[in-house]
Amino acid sequence: MLMRTGVALAGFYFVAQGDWTRLLACFLAARAAVTRLTRPDEEKPHRLAEEVGREP
């Protein structure tokens, strides 16, 4: 777990190039992506419901 955290932090720092605002943006983008990708299926909108414009 510590190795994975270290690699993730090193990656963020590399992408941010040492700028704290870019580092903050990386963390926020990663958090949004993980939250969106890992939410339960019942919270995800149904594709057919989106096409017709109503809830199932």
Side-chain angles (χ1 to χ4, degrees), residues 28 30 47 51 56:
L28 293 176
R47 187 173 214 171
E51 290 176 5

Side-chain angles (χ1 to χ4, degrees), residues 8-34:
L9 288 175
F12 285 141
Y13 192 76
F14 177 74
V15 170
Q17 298 175 355
D19 184 20
W20 71 270
T21 55
R22 287 184 182 181
L23 187 62
L24 179 63
C26 288
F27 277 117
L28 293 176
R31 181 176 182 219
V34 169

Side-chain angles (χ1 to χ4, degrees), residues 36 39 41-56:
R36 185 176 188 122
R39 65 182 170 180
D41 286 336
E42 61 268 2
E43 292 182 15
K44 293 180 183 175
H46 295 282
R47 187 173 214 171
L48 183 59
E50 287 178 349
E51 290 176 5
V52 250
R54 56 186 169 152
E55 291 295 319

